[in-house]
Amino acid sequence: MNITASDLILLAHAGFGVTGCLAALWVIVETLNASSSNAARIRSAALLTAVCIAAAWIFGGYWYVHFYAPEKALILKGPWPFAHDIFMETKEHLFFITGILAFLLPIATRDALHSNAVARRLVLAVASLIVVTGLVVEGAGAVIGHGVKIALLRGGAQGGTK
Amino acid sequence: MNPGNASQNKLSPATAGYVMAATVAVLFNTVLAWIKDSSPALNNFMKSLTGHHWTTHGLADLILFLVLGMVFSKSGMAEKMDSGRLITALIAATAVAALGLGLWFAFV
């Protein structure tokens, strides 16, 4: 088995990202049932969301800056150049929006959600936007990975000329 | 816990301030992506600051969100606005900013 630092960092990026989305989903479920008894749990889930998305940002950013260039070159020479031109370009900037929303979520959950309908609406909106944008980012990551894979497979099938 | 607004169905001053800051920051993020993509000079300048344009872009977004959040919270500017409209503005800004990124990189 040969697992490199690049592999671990990339998997940590995706793992923290999807865990952050699940934590935001947890915030939604708890907020739909908000009471004084689950207020601390909502704040913990919101904090977990922010921490996971921050970790995904750091791991993903480090990987993108230090390891992505050769994969980008492969994608651009392969049959799916749009995996970089559209999906990576959108993902690397859309992720910042997910990050800003994730840092807003713990602030939004400081209000008394069980007695404040507007505060509940805000938390539900922010957490839902994190889930939606986070899943779009995850999906874009899959397309980018597939862009590398088919560049290698089809390049190899054509004698490695791609 | 933010005190004082629990029974008023209104966001606390701190929360309202950071919601407004997030609305501005997500729109700024997309506009900066557009300008950076069209201007190699700006892209190179951002690269020169941290070693990579993407790192500078993320730091700029974060600093803008945090600084505006503090300013809007302390000035009470966001608190004077209708809380429901602040939430709607954040949702709309996120949708426009996200679509703006996708459409830009797909068609421009």
Side-chain angles (χ1 to χ4, degrees):
Chain A
M1 191 172 351
N2 181 15
I3 302 175
T4 64
S6 166
D7 299 328
L8 289 174
I9 291 166
L10 188 60
L11 291 173
H13 163 63
F16 276 114
V18 80
T19 308
C21 290
L22 289 173
L25 190 61
W26 180 20
V27 170
I28 293 171
V29 173
E30 295 281 2
T31 303
L32 288 171
N33 299 284
S35 68
S36 55
S37 63
N38 72 349
R41 208 160 53 232
I42 294 172
R43 288 183 201 123
S44 298
L47 189 61
L48 179 65
T49 305
V51 168
C52 285
I53 297 297
W57 189 327
I58 292 165
F59 280 111
Y62 187 86
W63 186 87
Y64 176 67
V65 169
H66 292 92
F67 298 109
Y68 179 59
E71 299 203 8
K72 174 183 170 182
L74 273 174
I75 292 170
L76 293 177
K77 286 179 189 167
W80 276 24
F82 60 84
H84 170 81
D85 292 337
I86 299 174
F87 285 87
M88 179 52 107
E89 291 285 4
T90 301
K91 171 185 154 80
E92 73 185 51
H93 296 102
L94 180 60
F95 184 82
F96 292 141
I97 294 176
T98 312
I100 290 164
L101 294 168
F103 296 141
L104 175 63
L105 193 60
I107 298 168
T109 55
R110 290 171 71 207
D111 287 346
L113 302 185
H114 61 281
S115 60
N116 186 334
V118 173
R120 274 200 305 279
R121 192 181 147 212
L122 172 66
V123 169
L124 290 172
V126 173
S128 300
L129 290 171
I130 291 169
V131 172
V132 171
T133 58
L135 289 178
V136 169
V137 167
E138 290 281 348
V143 173
I144 295 158
H146 196 67
V148 176
K149 179 181 163 184
I150 62 169
L152 289 168
L153 286 173
R154 295 189 192 172
Q158 292 164 17
T161 55
K162 282 267 180 185
Chain B
M1 175 186 249
N2 297 348
N5 293 295
S7 60
Q8 298 174 18
N9 273 342
K10 190 178 173 191
L11 299 177
S12 67
T15 303
Y18 279 96
V19 170
M20 191 183 258
T23 304
V24 175
V26 297
L27 291 172
F28 167 81
N29 173 62
T30 294
V31 171
L32 182 59
W34 290 344
I35 297 173
K36 193 177 66 170
D37 195 49
S38 326
S39 166
L42 177 63
N43 209 45
N44 290 334
F45 172 70
M46 289 173 70
K47 185 180 176 184
S48 72
L49 294 178
T50 61
H52 201 289
H53 67 85
W54 184 85
T55 309
T56 308
H57 193 143
L59 287 173
D61 286 347
L62 266 186
I63 291 167
L64 184 72
F65 170 62
L66 294 174
V67 170
L68 286 183
M70 278 190 281
V71 170
F72 291 152
S73 297
K74 295 198 173 170
S75 69
M77 187 192 300
E79 193 191 6
K80 290 174 190 160
M81 292 183 66
D82 178 74
S83 294
R85 286 190 179 178
L86 276 178
I87 298 169
T88 303
L90 177 65
I91 296 167
T94 302
V96 167
L99 282 174
L101 287 171
L103 293 173
W104 176 272
F105 290 113
F107 297 110
V108 179

